[in-house]
């Protein structure tokens, strides 16, 4: 089969197509999946560059996110049958409950092979059916960005109708979080440096938008828009570059879901967090149990992910470069 491999952690150039990688077989408890689409996350860029916290094993097949159809099942499999449409679980071993060091030690596209291949093997408890109303391309966006946003909005913060959520940027996580915030009846404020992207966010339900280049001290605008109260939840994807303003945007007793480090690392004065009695919690994707809850909500509301562009399989490295450019709105997908 054809599969991409991360030969060297030197950036996008280290992602190389192997046209003749052996096709795997399904062992007991496993399913063989013909991958139809995969999607990119910022984590994939970090892994390719060798700057992700846990690195990757040699010649790993990259990308945590993908969807396809089951073409064979191993002995003892009961959860799936041939023909089922499935997505892989980011953490194959995190089935439910609180995360453990063991459960998060194995992640697709890093410590174990990911989804950027024509065929993959998944354990039956490391996969889930994708919503019937979604295409494979849409289903491929769910395992990391979708589930991370769901965990932040619905699981960690349990956002309720009438609350206010602040979203940073228009990447995959932020737009999923926007959709989930609106699904829960919340008011949504979204920031971006592009007025065109802000206009699109309005069509997706954003109640208020802020251009952070035009308004560098955007936390003051957030305070103004909330009558001085601050927001109930910030979905924080920027890292140290934005964290201080995110904390300043939060109401007393509010929460910050710390998800990404797109803006880099650094230091924050802890007194700022203490003065608001705010909760800062790291969000690391989610469990299979959360995935099932998210899919049920997506199915009920017939929500569809926002996909910016779909690249053909042979242009996977161009897809990486497009994500790296920051021009995308929502998800970047590769059709396999």
């Amino acid at each position: 089969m054809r599969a991409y491999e991360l030969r060297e952690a030197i950036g996008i150039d280290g992602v190389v197509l192997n046209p003749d990688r052996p096709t795997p077989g399904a062992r007991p408890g496993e399913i063989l999946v013909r991958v139809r689409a995969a999607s990119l996350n910022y984590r994939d860029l970090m892994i390719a560059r060798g700057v992700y916290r846990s690195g990757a094993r040699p010649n790993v097949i990259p990308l945590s996110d993908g969807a396809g159809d089951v073409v064979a099942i191993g002995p003892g499999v009961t959860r799936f049958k041939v023909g089922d449409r499935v997505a892989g679980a980011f953490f194959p071993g995190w089935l439910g409950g609180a995360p453990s060091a063991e459960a998060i030690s194995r992640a697709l596209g890093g410590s174990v092979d990911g989804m950027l291949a024509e065929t993959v093997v998944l354990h039956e408890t490391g996969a889930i059916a994708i919503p019937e109303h979604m295409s494979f391309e849409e289903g491929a966006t769910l395992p990391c960005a979708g589930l991370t946003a769901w965990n932040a909005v619905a699981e960690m913060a349990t956002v309720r109708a009438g609350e206010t959520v602040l979203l940073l940027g228009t990447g995959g996580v932020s737009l999923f979080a926007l959709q989930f915030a609106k699904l829960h009846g919340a008011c949504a404020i979204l920031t971006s440096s592009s007025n065109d992207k802000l206009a699109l966010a309005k069509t997706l339900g954003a109640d208020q938008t802020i251009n952070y280049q035009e308004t560098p001290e955007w936390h003051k605008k957030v305070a103004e828009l909330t009558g001085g109260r601050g927001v109930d939840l910030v979905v924080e994807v920027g890292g140290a570059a934005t964290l201080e303003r995110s904390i300043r945007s939060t109401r007393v007793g509010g929460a910050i879901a710390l998800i990404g480090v797109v803006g880099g690392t650094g230091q924050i004065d802890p007194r700022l967090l203490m003065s608001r009695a705010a909760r800062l919690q790291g969000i690391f994707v989610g469990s299979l149990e959360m995935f099932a809850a998210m899919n049920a909500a997506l199915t009920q509301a017939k929500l569809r992910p926002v996909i910016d562009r779909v690249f053909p399989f042979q242009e996977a490295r161009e897809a990486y470069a497009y994500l790296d450019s920051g021009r995308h709105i929502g998800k970047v997908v590769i059709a396999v």
Side-chain angles (χ1 to χ4, degrees), residues 44-230:
D44 301 311
L45 285 170
M46 296 178 70
I47 288 176
R49 291 169 178 153
V51 296
Y52 192 66
R53 62 175 191 87
S54 55
R57 68 173 180 78
N59 295 326
V60 71
I61 297 173
L63 304 197
S64 60
D65 290 16
D69 47 321
V70 178
V71 293
I73 61 173
V77 170
T78 59
R79 297 185 68 240
F80 299 104
K81 64 183 184 302
V82 172
D84 285 347
R85 302 185 328 134
V86 301
F90 185 98
F91 291 120
W94 187 7
L95 304 186
S100 66
E102 180 180 1
I104 66 173
S105 66
R106 298 177 64 250
L108 298 187
S111 56
V112 297
D113 283 333
M115 301 296 291
L116 195 54
E118 291 180 319
T119 309
V120 301
V121 165
L122 301 170
H123 194 275
E124 65 171 331
T125 58
I128 193 166
I130 62 175
E132 290 185 3
H133 71 283
M134 289 189 183
S135 66
F136 285 119
E137 289 79 8
E138 290 169 329
T141 70
L142 301 178
C144 182
L147 186 53
T148 298
W150 176 263
N151 190 355
V153 173
E155 303 281 347
M156 186 276 274
T158 58
V159 167
R160 295 175 174 83
E163 294 186 335
T164 304
V165 177
L166 174 63
L167 309 157
L168 307 186
T170 54
V173 171
S174 295
L175 291 191
F176 268 118
L178 169 60
Q179 291 175 298
F180 293 145
K182 299 309 297 180
L183 182 64
H184 285 78
C187 174
I189 303 171
L190 184 140
T191 72
S192 174
S193 62
S194 164
N195 288 326
D196 289 341
K197 291 182 178 181
L198 292 175
L200 175 63
K202 281 275 193 178
T203 70
L204 296 172
D207 298 279
Q208 303 286 345
T209 59
I210 303 170
N211 187 312
Y212 64 78
Q213 283 194 340
E214 297 173 359
T215 309
E217 295 188 313
W218 42 266
H219 60 285
K220 294 182 179 179
K221 184 64 176 178
V222 171
E224 177 187 326
L225 293 173
T226 57
R229 178 176 181 269

Side-chain angles (χ1 to χ4, degrees), residues 2 31 38 57 59 68 77 242 250 252 286-287:
R2 294 183 303 163
I31 59 175
R57 68 173 180 78
N59 295 326
V77 170
T242 53
T250 307
V252 172
S287 67

Side-chain angles (χ1 to χ4, degrees), residues 4 57 147 216 267 271 295 301:
Y4 282 89
R57 68 173 180 78
L147 186 53
Q267 295 182 339
R271 293 174 296 182
N295 281 355

